[in-house]
Amino acid sequence: QRAVLAEHRLAYVSDAPVNWCPALGTVLANEEVTSDGRSERGNYPVFKRKLTQWMMRITAFSERLIDDLELLDWPDAIKAMQRNWIGRSTGAQVDFAALTSRGAASDHTPSEATISVFTTRPDTLFGATYMVLAPEHPLVDEIAPTSWPASTNSAWTGGAADPSSAIAAYRADAASRSEIERQAEGRTKTGVFTGAMALNPTTGSAIPVFIADYVLMGYGTGAIMAVPAHDQRDFEFARTFGLPVTKVVTPPENWPNDPANWETAWGGDGPVCGSANDSISLDGLSVDDAKAAISTWLEDRRLGHPTVTTKLRDWLFSRQRYWGEPFPIVYDTDGTPIAIPESELPVLLPDIEDYSPRTFAADDQVSMPEAPLARAEEWMQVTLDMGDGPKAYRREVNTMPQWAGSCWYELRYLDPTNDDVFVDPDVERYWMGPTPDRPSGGVDLYVGGVEHAVLHLLYARFWHKVLFDLGHVSSPEPFGRLYNQGYILAHSYTDERGVYRDALTIEERDGSYFSDGDLVTRELGKMGKSLRNAVAPDDLYESYGADTLRLYEMSMGPMDASRPWATRDVVGMYRFLQRLWRSLVDEDTGNLTVVDSEPDAGTARLLARTIDGVRSDMEGLRFNTSIAKLIELNNHLTKLAAPVSRSVAESLVLMLAPLVPHVSEELWAMLGHDESLTYVPFPEADPALLVADEVEIPVQIKGKVRARIMVAVDADSAAIEALALADPAVVALLDGAAPRKVIVVPAKMVNIVL
RNA sequence: GCGGGAGUGGCGGAAUUGGCAGACGCGCAGGAUUCAGGUUCCUGUGUCCGAAAGGACGUGGGGGUUCAAGUCCCCCCUCCCGCACCA
């Protein structure tokens, strides 16, 4: 019963191949391994090892994890990365009968085996001329005969005397090559014949079954039907091994009629051809129609059915670390995992002498993971009463990955002192509940880096959906709006030997860069100690103060863009803060110069426009343009002969507070306030001041600005046209000629067409 | 190959819906203040022609739509990021 349940449990023990990183001394999730087979953290080699580890059944949520992206206000790039990672593709599973006896030596017996394949192109079933299994596919040993069938192509055997030695040699060879080596081989197709044949259910012909590493055990069923005419990989394999290429979809007219003369496979649409037998004909149908027709045919004969496959794999959830949440799991004397009853929770980490992970040489493939908690012998052994009397159990010694905590911290933050539940349902609904304009619910704004796209952000969504299904949260998604801030980049400099030179030593001459006289090459990338281009915040605090640094970083450009650091530019924001101070404070006496009288009309209007603009820029996280508007306002104030009005000064300080909190608080106190400005609302723009009575608009002749006129904001087109045509500069340029057409955009501009 | 994003002065970057390209800052130039210094102040600063007035050109390249294009459409180039033998 436990075994059956384990097939469906959210958390389960698996002994499938996992990612083992000897240098880190722990196993890793697929998401933590880079495409070249190294650890995301530390960039160490990672090896596939068959180990018993805890898994989370995230694949059960694949569909919803893709579909619910629609609900989210997230950057397209992140959504695309998640879709791509989950990798849903719809197609069909098709069953092929294995025929080990066909054409084989007389000591072979017919196989009962069925080879199931996943295909997105069931319409091309008639063109399947061979099959390929992943090298580690469990059926391989079952279907392979003991000797080569008569007249086996010598190119298919890998030079081996019999199928089992060919298979063994191919597997050994595949295992010895790293991901990087395989990629470096330029994807030349390799493989060997298994000696077995299979029956193409549509044509009734026997087709050879190969193993090849271009078919992955981890995707689909780990087996494919190969249609070389219409799949590029199969095409290349067929060319290498001299396999037949049968056309079943008509390519465009400029393609050679005979597939033997094709340069590539034809993967596009076209009328299906050569696809008929006694009970079905697909000929003449489009690809889509043929898919539908063959699916029905397969289902009627119980040979296949439509299905969906994803690239996403279950989440490897155990780590060999001390610092992680211990599993609430014990094993009985039979080694069966049992959940600890709630009354015994939480399981706390034991105090141990040595917390450090057991690590190995980076390339030590045969090393075995060792959990630090396994050193806590006393803690491991525990006596519990599971309802059948006290018994001895052994604790699980693996711990959860760092992601476990980040999957729900945002929920705990809502109600951090609650001792009864992790979050009160009412509290959760208040902060995170779905609303008509945000059906996903979740955190209002989550600012974070792209590096979490298919790690934290995927895991947390999965975890949240589990809690949602269990009724613990009302929101289907944890983070309603996501904003990716860019990186602060910096130039790094390498000399001829490729050694990084300290960025502080660099001099520029005639567009080239030199370090102590040596020519160096400049690159733009992240800051880092090893790149010798990091900027120490302490130095900037020392020279300019924390407010200046903060203001500079916000002013550099849009928040979501990566931007190059330029120490030289920091001074601009420092100067601004000095000018700001002097607009409100007498430098010599230190006394406030602000007056209580109302500002002049121009200043009042500029203030209103600034408040309005800064407010919307802040809402859109456009801090760079907020700052520009605040500088403009201050520049205006410094040009005034008169002292600054209190109403203007206070609004300015309040608007600056989120950007330069220290200077703002200081000025706020000097303006006579006892309480922090944190509790004062953001200024409101006077709507009456946002609309001017008159505006200056350009007058264009043939699209070029030739004059400017003042017009009332509510002036109609005719009045504006008359004003424009009466302008002396326009009269002179027209020189008596009658305009062919005059376009007037009220309160915006005039364009005269000659 | 697939997916995402970006190309605007010497530099970082502005420019809601097509409507004055270059806001704001750096740098640079000239000037001011100062015994001096600059982490001070003021003025100027897209490019080219011109003493000036003014004119021409100008948002990666090429076409197009429009009275009007950085913005819309078509083709192309370059760069960055993610995934990559996913059947």
Side-chain angles (χ1 to χ4, degrees):
Chain A
Q1 190 194 351
R2 280 191 189 279
V4 173
L5 271 176
E7 292 291 307
H8 300 280
R9 282 192 189 283
L10 183 68
Y12 63 97
V13 177
S14 152
D15 59 356
V18 295
N19 306 298
W20 165 236
C21 182
L24 293 176
T26 186
V27 295
L28 297 169
N30 292 341
E31 289 78 13
E32 295 168 296
V33 180
T34 61
S35 57
D36 54 352
R38 299 177 83 87
S39 60
E40 187 88 52
R41 292 254 167 123
N43 198 32
Y44 298 112
V46 171
F47 303 98
K48 283 284 179 198
R49 287 287 304 279
K50 208 172 177 190
L51 294 167
T52 303
Q53 297 290 333
W54 283 92
M55 308 289 285
M56 285 283 200
R57 205 176 299 278
I58 190 172
T59 52
F61 291 77
S62 301
E63 296 273 312
R64 283 161 67 196
L65 287 170
I66 286 184
D67 293 341
D68 288 358
L69 287 171
E70 302 288 333
L71 306 176
L72 298 175
D73 181 8
W74 282 22
D76 288 339
I78 302 289
K79 289 190 185 183
M81 282 159 78
Q82 291 211 347
R83 274 194 204 98
N84 189 19
W85 186 259
I86 296 168
R88 171 166 60 187
S89 71
T90 55
Q93 186 176 314
V94 183
D95 294 337
F96 288 65
L99 302 170
T100 54
S101 63
R102 182 73 63 99
S106 55
D107 60 334
H108 296 161
T109 53
S111 170
E112 297 290 308
T114 296
I115 304 171
S116 293
V117 304
F118 172 73
T119 178
T120 54
R121 296 294 304 276
D123 55 296
T124 61
L125 186 48
F126 282 84
T129 54
Y130 66 100
M131 299 187 78
V132 185
L133 304 187
E136 62 272 44
H137 197 290
L139 272 181
V140 172
D141 296 319
E142 192 180 325
I143 61 172
T146 51
S147 61
W148 295 118
S151 68
T152 292
N153 185 333
S154 61
W156 295 2
T157 64
D162 57 75
S164 63
S165 47
I167 291 163
Y170 187 75
R171 283 176 175 165
D173 187 48
S176 72
R177 279 173 299 161
S178 69
E179 288 292 318
I180 298 170
E181 282 171 336
R182 275 181 55 178
Q183 282 171 21
E185 283 159 11
R187 298 181 186 175
T188 307
K189 296 289 176 288
T190 61
V192 294
F193 181 40
T194 61
M197 306 294 278
L199 190 71
N200 183 322
T202 53
T203 62
S205 50
I207 57 176
V209 180
F210 286 76
I211 57 170
D213 64 3
Y214 83 92
V215 173
L216 312 171
M217 194 59 225
Y219 186 75
T221 61
I224 62 157
M225 64 177 211
V227 183
H230 305 293
D231 180 280
Q232 185 58 27
R233 293 152 308 187
D234 298 344
F235 183 87
E236 288 165 19
F237 190 88
R239 280 286 155 86
T240 306
F241 289 89
L243 289 154
V245 179
T246 305
K247 174 176 73 176
V248 290
V249 177
T250 314
E253 283 181 12
N254 56 347
W255 281 53
N257 191 46
D258 185 352
N261 299 321
W262 292 0
E263 286 171 16
T264 63
W266 168 245
D269 204 348
V272 172
C273 58
S275 296
N277 62 25
D278 293 342
S279 54
I280 187 171
S281 172
L282 305 175
D283 290 348
L285 297 179
S286 69
V287 163
D288 281 344
D289 292 344
K291 279 180 187 174
I294 193 71
S295 291
T296 307
W297 187 86
L298 287 166
E299 280 193 280
D300 288 348
R301 281 156 185 74
R302 296 179 188 276
L303 290 171
H305 54 88
T307 187
V308 173
T309 289
T310 60
K311 284 195 263 182
L312 183 69
R313 306 265 58 95
D314 277 337
W315 178 16
L316 193 153
F317 198 66
S318 39
R319 298 290 183 279
Q320 291 72 45
R321 287 284 126 109
Y322 175 83
W323 294 113
E325 297 85 339
F327 284 73
I329 294 285
V330 290
Y331 295 89
D332 65 15
T333 45
D334 299 334
T336 306
I338 301 165
I340 294 176
E342 278 197 36
S343 59
E344 299 291 328
L345 298 181
V347 178
L348 298 175
L349 286 169
D351 284 326
I352 61 174
E353 287 286 314
D354 182 10
Y355 305 131
S356 55
R358 171 94 155 92
T359 58
F360 302 87
D363 57 354
D364 184 359
Q365 287 194 52
V366 296
S367 51
M368 286 293 285
E370 285 179 38
L373 288 183
R375 295 168 204 151
E377 280 292 341
E378 278 183 38
W379 177 83
M380 259 173 76
Q381 308 303 335
V382 61
T383 304
L384 292 171
D385 185 349
M386 301 274 197
D388 52 357
K391 281 189 180 174
Y393 295 94
R394 180 174 51 83
R395 289 189 189 276
E396 168 65 57
V397 292
N398 286 310
T399 53
M400 300 185 199
Q402 72 270 38
W403 316 109
S406 64
C407 274
W408 68 291
Y409 75 102
E410 77 282 1
L411 290 166
R412 186 59 179 170
Y413 278 8
L414 304 176
D415 201 6
T417 58
N418 194 322
D419 289 332
D420 301 322
V421 286
F422 73 94
V423 60
D424 183 282
D426 289 337
V427 172
E428 188 276 336
R429 200 171 306 115
Y430 174 81
W431 290 105
M432 306 274 271
T435 57
D437 58 328
R438 177 157 292 166
S440 66
V443 173
D444 293 328
L445 173 63
Y446 196 20
V447 178
V450 280
E451 66 275 15
H452 288 126
V454 288
L455 289 163
H456 163 55
L457 290 172
L458 186 65
Y459 298 144
R461 291 185 63 218
F462 156 60
W463 196 287
H464 201 89
K465 287 186 181 306
V466 171
L467 294 174
F468 178 78
D469 289 355
L470 293 171
H472 295 304
V473 298
S474 66
S475 44
E477 286 283 337
F479 313 116
R481 180 182 175 201
L482 175 70
Y483 190 94
N484 288 135
Q485 87 279 24
Y487 293 109
I488 303 295
L489 305 177
H491 291 288
S492 58
Y493 303 86
T494 46
D495 62 22
E496 284 177 339
R497 295 170 301 155
V499 174
Y500 284 98
R501 294 297 191 89
D502 196 322
L504 291 174
T505 66
I506 304 302
E507 294 167 64
E508 183 183 352
R509 291 198 294 272
D510 305 325
S512 297
Y513 299 90
F514 299 88
S515 171
D516 301 329
D518 301 333
L519 184 67
V520 291
T521 310
R522 188 168 84 150
E523 277 170 37
L524 191 61
K526 289 186 191 178
M527 280 191 191
K529 214 182 248 178
S530 62
L531 305 175
R532 303 185 73 183
N533 62 354
V535 177
D538 288 4
D539 297 344
L540 288 149
Y541 296 158
E542 189 65 31
S543 314
Y544 300 114
D547 276 347
T548 298
L549 173 60
R550 189 180 167 107
L551 191 61
Y552 169 65
E553 290 208 305
M554 291 300 102
S555 72
M556 289 167 79
M559 259 245 292
D560 58 354
S562 290
R563 321 180 281 291
W565 176 268
T567 303
R568 193 175 72 175
D569 294 358
V570 177
V571 67
M573 293 303 117
Y574 184 65
R575 287 176 191 154
F576 162 57
L577 292 179
Q578 289 182 317
R579 284 200 304 276
L580 168 76
W581 192 267
R582 281 195 301 268
S583 337
L584 309 183
V585 178
D586 185 295
E587 263 198 304
D588 298 324
T589 66
N591 295 330
L592 205 64
T593 56
V594 168
V595 294
D596 285 331
S597 57
E598 286 305 307
D600 65 90
T603 302
R605 271 201 301 275
L606 178 60
L607 174 66
R609 281 206 308 277
T610 305
I611 292 171
D612 189 54
V614 170
R615 192 174 255 281
S616 61
D617 281 352
M618 289 271 187
E619 281 165 4
L621 304 179
R622 294 182 298 271
F623 301 118
N624 54 331
T625 50
S626 296
I627 293 166
K629 290 180 173 80
L630 290 164
I631 293 174
E632 276 182 274
L633 175 60
N634 189 59
N635 286 351
H636 170 83
L637 298 179
T638 51
K639 286 189 183 74
L640 287 177
V644 175
S645 300
R646 170 168 290 273
S647 60
V648 178
E650 296 203 336
S651 292
L652 177 58
V653 168
L654 287 173
M655 285 189 280
L656 277 161
L659 299 160
V660 284
H662 306 93
V663 166
S664 301
E665 282 288 2
E666 183 78 20
L667 286 169
W668 189 246
M670 290 176 75
L671 283 160
H673 299 282
D674 298 331
E675 212 183 30
S676 166
L677 48 57
T678 305
Y679 306 106
V680 182
F682 202 81
E684 299 274 358
D686 181 349
L689 293 172
L690 287 175
V691 280
D693 299 338
E694 274 196 315
V695 283
E696 188 189 66
I697 64 168
V699 179
Q700 300 179 340
I701 295 176
K702 290 196 290 184
K704 292 193 195 310
V705 179
R706 299 298 186 181
R708 291 169 184 286
I709 54 174
M710 292 300 295
V711 297
V713 276
D714 53 357
D716 62 21
S717 298
I720 295 172
E721 181 175 335
L723 266 175
L725 291 174
D727 185 89
V730 173
V731 170
L733 278 157
L734 288 181
D735 194 24
R740 197 145 57 87
K741 196 175 179 185
V742 179
I743 284 114
V744 178
V745 184
K748 280 279 188 185
M749 48 81 65
V750 178
N751 193 8
I752 297 168
V753 189
L754 288 174

